[in-house]
């Protein structure tokens, strides 16, 4: 079997495979992908799990299992001889006890007592939600171990092969003709990257198309015929014109979206066609399945067998047998034939009929001498009549509590294209929240804001209902910006900056907010007041508190490109003998006049203006503290609203309804 070639690569496939296995680029790529794994997943040590309480079937092979492993080794040797260019088969990895087990015996068909798990989509959804994905140690080779589904369920984590075996066990138990698949897939499938996929909750439902039979019925001669509706030619022309404009706008939008999709396209993958993945194949027939399809166990979603994300298949297996794919996979899986009885397309390991093995036939025709053909045929007939032993895995069990909790630690987050979907277990949140979808405007990363004070947040208000006209407030640890509407003083933006908080040192006689964030700067931006001359109408007022300076910038006068400014210095010289402040223009104020002034300001007017600004600065400081207190009050109200939510528990849920449980015990 030949697999999809790396068409975009400049070097041959052998060189690429070799380079991907030993080069620094490959090692960096693998380490980079593993760096994206959550620390609790990456740090989990499977060798530390307790295997002392496991049944003896996990630690010892029965005589029938030993014979099966011998048959598998013999099959593997013939396979390697006839196909030296293909990779080794995934036949008998070790289990959690370090014992080799044939992969078909790891599948444990189980029907769990929950109605949801009687259907394939319910089983797939449960497995993808209940387990946490652990990537393969090497993205281009299958794992060396395959643990039992019971261990995987216990620790709620596993790789793609663990996911597939568990899901296949549940599907076979529910009556589906399901198989585990060892093959190759795209990077997005293998790494569970759904950031370029549209969230299922945002997909539009497909419109129902009327079958031709219904169209014939609707055109029956007994149907009531209504008189034709007469339309004006002018109206038709206008509608055609509007339609043309709409089509032009749609084409323009598509062109713009085309530019965006170029950015949204996945980056080039140097391991394309080499990434190993495991998934589930469901054949048509049983359980009224109309068409064969794939299931990605990581997401629980179904895919067509022609999906371009699945690039090739090495082998498949269920609880009864093992098949090797002998078809060409250079075009992916879209041209594969899934008739397992076709010995040209699929090579079976344990023959289920009296037909000779294709591998054996090829081997006899090409390699075996005539003297050994009879002995080989006799041994193979014994192997062909071999019945596979039952699964060594203990019965798969799942308590109602575990089934309901579902997600690891009760919560799961999925990142989609411009969206984030969060899921919680029932009754985990006090407010009863079980699902939340957040939609973003672009593909840039976003952060979640908590109810903790002094973190990034945006608050919007009804400006008409407030006396100060506050419309919106933006805040983070170092800044706060407020936007106003309809104020009499024409203020529409107030921006505050804060410094580093000092250590909390209590001083006698000081206020309680001694450890508040120190205010370093307050900026006010004003609209134009046409009743005042531009030289007297302040456009921006800045209080540089730590520098003890005040800056005033006035509105532009007509036909001017610069604005008048004033800068005051509060640190003035003091005459201690007379206890009077001596104010001089060189020290207290620096002015810039754009054009001729309408009236000159004396030193006394500047002094009065400076005193007014000092009082305004004190007032603004109090206003900033009030704004901070208001934020805390709002957050406290939001927190109280969330904590005081009380969920109503069904009377039939005796596990959570204490009153109902007591009544049941009395009865």
């Amino acid at each position: 079997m030949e697999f999809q070639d790396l068409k975009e690569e400049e070097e041959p496939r052998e060189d690429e495979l070799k380079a991907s296995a030993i080069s620094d680029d490959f090692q960096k790529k693998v380490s980079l992908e593993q760096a994206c794994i959550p620390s609790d997943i990456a740090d989990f040590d499977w060798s530390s799990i307790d295997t002392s309480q496991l049944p003896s079937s996990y630690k010892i092979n029965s005589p029938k299992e030993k014979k099966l492993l011998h048959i598998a080794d013999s099959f593997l040797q013939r396979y390697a001889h006839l196909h030296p260019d293909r990779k080794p088969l995934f036949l008998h990895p070790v289990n959690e006890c370090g014992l080799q087990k044939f992969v078909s015996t790891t599948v444990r068909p189980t029907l769990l007592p929950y109605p949801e798990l009687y259907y394939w989509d319910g089983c797939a959804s449960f497995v993808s939600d209940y387990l946490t994905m652990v990537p393969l140690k090497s993205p281009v080779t299958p794992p060396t171990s395959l643990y039992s589904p019971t261990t995987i369920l216990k620790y709620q984590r596993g790789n793609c092969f663990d996911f597939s075996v568990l899901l296949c066990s549940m599907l076979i138990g529910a009556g589906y003709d399901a198989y585990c698949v060892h093959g190759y897939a795209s990077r997005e499938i293998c790494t569970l990257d759904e950031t370029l996929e549209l969230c299922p909750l945002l997909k539009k439902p497909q419109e129902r198309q009327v079958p031709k039979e219904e169209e014939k019925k609707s055109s029956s001669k007994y149907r009531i015929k209504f008189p034709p509706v007469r339309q004006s030619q002018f109206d038709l022309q206008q509608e055609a014109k509007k339609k043309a404009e709409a089509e032009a706008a749609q084409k323009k939008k598509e062109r713009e979206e085309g530019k965006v999709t170029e950015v949204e396209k996945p980056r080039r993958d140097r391991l394309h066609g080499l990434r190993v993945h495991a998934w589930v194949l469901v054949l048509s027939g049983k359980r009224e399945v109309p068409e064969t399809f794939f299931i990605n166990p990581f997401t629980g979603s179904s895919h067509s067998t022609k999906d371009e994300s699945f690039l090739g298949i090495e082998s498949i297996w269920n609880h009864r047998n093992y098949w090797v794919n002998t078809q060409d996979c250079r075009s992916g899986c879209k041209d594969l034939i899934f008739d397992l009885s076709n010995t040209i397309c699929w090579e079976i390991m344990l023959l289920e009929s009296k037909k000779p093995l294709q591998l054996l036939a090829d081997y006899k025709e090409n390699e075996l001498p005539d003297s050994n053909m009879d002995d080989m045929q006799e041994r193979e007939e014994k192997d062909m009549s071999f019945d596979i032993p039952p699964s060594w895995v203990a019965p798969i069990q799942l308590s109602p509590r575990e089934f309901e909790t579902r997600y690891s630690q009760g919560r799961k987050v999925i990142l989609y294209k411009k969206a984030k979907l969060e899921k919680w277990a029932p009754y985990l949140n006090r407010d009863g929240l079980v699902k939340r979808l957040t939609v973003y405007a672009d593909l840039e990363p976003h952060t979640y804001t908590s109810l903790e004070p002094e973190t990034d947040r945006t608050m919007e208000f009804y400006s008409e209902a407030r006396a100060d006209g506050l419309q919106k407030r933006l805040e983070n640890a170092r800044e706060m910006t407020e936007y106003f509407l309809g104020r009499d003083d024409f203020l529409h933006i107030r921006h505050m900056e804060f410094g580093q908080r000092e250590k909390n040192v209590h001083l006698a006689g000081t206020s309680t907010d001694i450890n508040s964030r120190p205010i370093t700067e307050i900026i006010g931006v004003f609209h134009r007041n046409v009743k005042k001359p531009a030289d007297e109408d302040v456009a921006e007022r800045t209080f540089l508190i730590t520098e003890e300076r005040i800056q005033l910038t006035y509105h532009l006068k007509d036909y001017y490109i610069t604005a008048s400014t004033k800068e005051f210095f509060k640190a003035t010289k003091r005459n201690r003998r007379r206890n009077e402040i001596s104010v001089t223009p060189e020290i207290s104020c620096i002015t810039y006049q754009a054009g001729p002034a309408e009236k000159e300001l004396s030193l006394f007017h500047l002094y009065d203006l400076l005193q007014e600004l000092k009082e305004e600065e004190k007032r603004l400081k109090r206003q900033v503290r009030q704004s901070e207190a208001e934020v805390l009050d709002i957050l406290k109200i939001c927190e109280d609203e969330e904590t005081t939510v009380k969920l109503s528990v069904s009377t039939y849920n005796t596990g959570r309804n204490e009153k109902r449980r007591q009544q049941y015990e009395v009865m």
Side-chain angles (χ1 to χ4, degrees):
M1 179 182 65
E2 298 181 2
F3 289 92
Q4 185 168 357
D5 295 333
L6 304 178
K7 298 180 180 180
E8 297 181 354
E9 296 296 326
E10 298 177 357
E11 299 178 354
R13 179 183 170 182
E14 291 80 4
D15 296 340
E16 177 62 28
L17 178 59
K18 182 179 180 181
S20 64
I22 61 176
S23 67
D24 294 337
D25 293 340
F26 174 78
Q27 297 296 338
K28 291 179 181 179
K29 182 179 288 291
V30 173
S31 61
L32 179 61
E33 292 177 356
Q34 293 179 347
C36 301
I37 307 167
S39 58
D40 59 335
I41 298 175
D43 297 340
F44 186 80
D45 184 13
W46 282 105
S47 61
S48 62
I49 64 175
D50 183 18
T51 60
S52 60
Q53 303 300 324
L54 294 177
S56 59
S57 60
Y58 286 61
K59 306 172 184 178
I60 302 174
N61 281 327
S62 65
K64 208 168 186 179
E65 286 181 300
K66 293 180 181 178
K67 184 177 180 180
L68 179 60
L69 292 175
H70 175 72
I71 296 174
D73 287 334
S74 178
F75 182 83
L76 188 59
Q77 290 177 3
R78 295 194 300 272
Y79 168 84
H81 180 79
L82 294 175
H83 304 283
D85 296 334
R86 290 184 59 173
K87 294 183 178 180
L89 296 176
F90 187 69
L91 277 175
H92 41 57
V94 298
N95 66 356
E96 52 265 51
C97 296
L99 189 66
Q100 278 191 341
K101 294 288 185 178
F102 187 60
V103 290
S104 294
T105 60
T106 308
V107 179
R108 184 67 153 87
T110 304
L111 178 61
L112 295 172
Y114 304 102
E116 180 183 346
L117 302 184
Y118 186 65
Y119 302 94
W120 74 265
D121 52 348
C123 294
S125 176
F126 171 77
V127 171
S128 64
D129 290 340
Y130 193 80
L131 302 182
T132 301
M133 188 271 282
V134 178
L136 297 174
K137 292 183 178 180
S138 172
V140 297
T141 56
T144 58
S145 61
L146 183 65
Y147 292 175
S148 64
T150 54
T151 299
I152 297 302
L153 278 175
K154 179 180 179 181
Y155 294 98
Q156 288 189 259
R157 64 190 67 222
N159 56 42
C160 54
F161 288 83
D162 301 321
F163 273 67
S164 299
V165 170
L166 175 59
L167 178 56
C168 189
S169 301
M170 297 172 63
L171 292 176
I172 296 175
Y176 289 93
D177 192 8
Y179 303 81
C180 298
V181 180
H182 163 212
Y184 305 91
S186 65
R187 175 184 54 205
E188 288 70 29
I189 293 288
C190 297
T191 59
L192 190 52
D193 183 3
E194 299 182 86
T195 54
L196 296 179
E197 298 291 332
L198 186 64
C199 178
L201 299 179
L202 299 177
K203 293 181 179 179
K204 297 180 180 179
Q206 296 181 354
E207 296 182 358
R208 178 178 178 270
Q209 297 181 352
V210 181
K212 294 183 179 180
E213 297 180 358
E214 296 187 14
E215 292 181 356
K216 292 180 180 179
K217 292 180 181 179
S218 62
S219 60
S220 174
K221 63 180 180 179
Y222 298 105
R223 182 173 57 88
I224 299 176
K225 295 182 180 180
F226 296 96
V229 179
R230 300 183 181 276
Q231 290 184 331
S232 171
Q233 292 296 328
F234 177 77
D235 293 340
L236 293 176
Q237 293 176 1
Q238 293 298 317
E239 290 180 2
K241 184 179 179 181
K242 291 181 180 179
K243 185 178 180 180
E245 293 176 354
E247 291 178 354
Q250 180 66 22
K251 290 181 180 179
K252 181 179 179 181
K253 183 179 179 181
E254 290 177 357
R255 288 195 299 268
E256 294 177 354
E257 290 179 351
K259 297 178 181 179
V260 177
T261 53
E262 291 294 329
V263 180
E264 297 175 359
K265 284 183 179 180
R267 64 186 186 278
R268 182 166 167 263
D269 183 17
R270 296 190 62 187
L271 299 180
H272 183 75
L274 303 176
R275 293 182 181 271
V276 173
H277 190 56
W279 64 93
V280 174
L281 166 69
V282 180
L283 296 183
S284 59
K286 289 187 177 181
R287 287 296 303 271
E288 300 181 355
V289 176
E291 186 178 359
T292 301
F293 64 95
F294 294 149
I295 301 178
N296 182 11
F298 282 165
T299 62
S301 56
S302 63
H303 298 264
S304 169
T305 56
K306 302 182 184 299
D307 194 323
E308 296 181 354
S309 298
F310 298 91
L311 307 176
I313 294 178
E314 288 279 6
S315 60
I316 66 173
W317 68 90
N318 62 2
H319 62 302
R320 292 178 178 172
N321 220 320
Y322 189 95
W323 292 262
V324 179
N325 179 30
T326 57
Q327 303 172 73
D328 189 356
C329 289
R330 283 180 294 183
S331 299
C333 300
K334 61 182 180 179
D335 297 328
L336 296 185
I337 298 174
F338 291 96
D339 180 9
L340 300 183
S341 62
N342 189 336
T343 57
I344 298 177
C345 299
W346 297 93
E347 182 59 49
I348 191 171
M349 195 184 92
L350 301 174
L351 195 62
E352 296 175 340
S353 65
K354 296 302 181 182
K355 297 179 181 179
L357 281 171
Q358 185 67 26
L359 270 176
L360 179 60
D362 295 340
Y363 197 95
K364 290 175 180 177
E365 292 177 2
N366 299 327
E367 302 294 338
L368 280 178
D370 296 337
S371 59
N372 296 331
M373 287 181 62
D374 294 338
D375 296 339
M376 178 63 73
Q377 183 175 2
E378 183 178 354
R379 289 197 300 269
E380 285 299 331
E381 287 178 354
K382 291 182 180 179
D383 290 345
M384 286 187 291
S385 62
F386 181 79
D387 294 330
I388 194 168
S391 176
W392 55 273
V393 178
I396 299 175
Q397 298 177 351
L398 194 67
S399 67
R401 186 76 172 183
E402 292 171 338
F403 176 72
E404 187 183 59
T405 304
R406 208 174 187 95
Y407 313 110
S408 178
Q409 300 180 352
R411 181 174 181 262
K412 183 178 182 180
V413 180
I414 308 174
L415 298 179
Y416 291 103
K417 179 181 177 181
K418 301 180 183 179
K420 178 175 69 174
L421 179 62
E422 298 170 277
K423 299 179 181 179
W424 289 271
Y427 302 99
L428 181 67
N429 294 323
R430 293 187 176 182
D431 58 355
L433 181 64
V434 295
K435 186 181 294 185
R436 178 169 60 196
L437 176 64
T438 306
V439 181
Y440 302 111
D442 50 42
L443 294 175
E444 295 299 322
H446 293 76
T447 57
Y448 174 77
T449 303
S450 66
L451 289 178
E452 294 296 326
E454 300 179 14
T455 56
D456 295 350
R457 70 172 37 81
T458 300
M459 293 183 177
E460 295 185 359
F461 304 88
Y462 292 101
S463 58
E464 296 86 356
R466 294 180 61 100
D468 58 358
L470 180 61
Q471 180 191 26
K472 183 168 61 175
R473 178 182 288 133
L474 307 178
E475 182 190 16
N476 56 36
R478 292 297 183 91
E479 297 177 351
M480 180 187 293
T481 305
E482 296 176 329
Y483 298 86
F484 302 90
L485 281 179
R487 287 178 62 108
D488 295 336
D489 57 359
F490 296 92
L491 174 69
H492 70 98
I493 296 177
R494 180 188 294 150
H495 177 77
M496 293 78 73
E497 293 187 3
F498 303 94
Q500 191 70 28
R501 180 182 279 104
E502 299 178 357
K503 294 183 179 180
N504 189 5
V505 180
H506 179 71
L507 301 177
T510 58
S511 59
T512 57
D513 62 345
I514 187 63
N515 202 33
S516 299
R517 293 180 294 179
I519 306 171
T520 60
E521 185 176 340
I522 302 176
I523 302 175
V525 182
F526 300 83
H527 287 301
R528 179 75 171 92
N529 184 3
V530 294
K531 296 181 179 180
K532 291 183 178 181
D535 287 343
E536 300 178 11
D537 189 14
V538 177
E540 182 176 311
R541 182 178 59 196
T542 303
F543 292 92
L544 301 172
I545 298 174
T546 55
E547 301 177 15
E548 296 190 340
R549 290 188 296 132
I550 304 174
Q551 297 174 346
L552 299 179
T553 303
Y554 295 89
H555 283 280
L556 286 171
K557 296 196 296 185
D558 295 339
Y559 310 113
Y560 280 77
I561 61 174
T562 58
S564 300
T565 61
K566 288 185 177 67
E567 185 172 5
F568 290 91
F569 298 87
K570 293 185 293 182
T572 57
K573 293 183 178 180
R574 179 178 297 275
N575 189 341
R576 295 187 177 182
R577 292 183 180 180
R578 299 183 180 179
N579 197 22
E580 294 178 358
I581 298 177
S582 58
V583 179
T584 61
E586 293 78 14
I587 297 177
S588 64
C589 180
I590 299 176
T591 64
Y592 167 75
Q593 181 63 41
E598 295 188 4
K599 58 179 181 180
E600 294 290 340
L601 293 179
S602 63
L603 293 180
F604 294 103
H605 287 95
L606 291 175
Y607 178 80
D608 292 339
L609 179 57
L610 176 60
Q611 298 304 316
E612 292 177 2
L613 292 174
K614 288 182 178 180
E615 294 297 324
E616 181 67 16
E617 180 181 331
K618 295 179 181 178
R619 188 188 67 82
L620 287 177
K621 286 183 179 179
R622 293 193 298 268
Q623 183 63 44
V624 172
R625 298 306 180 195
Q626 292 176 5
S627 297
E628 290 182 304
E630 184 182 25
V631 170
L632 295 177
D633 292 341
I634 295 175
L635 295 179
K636 185 63 169 60
I637 293 173
C638 293
E639 185 178 1
D640 293 342
E641 289 178 350
E642 291 188 359
T643 56
T644 55
V645 174
K646 187 176 182 181
L647 297 179
S648 58
V649 183
S650 173
T651 57
Y652 300 102
N653 191 342
T654 57
R656 289 190 174 88
N657 196 323
E658 183 66 22
K659 183 178 180 180
R660 177 59 180 166
R661 188 183 65 79
Q662 294 176 359
Q663 292 177 354
Y664 181 78
E665 292 177 354
V666 171
M667 293 173 58

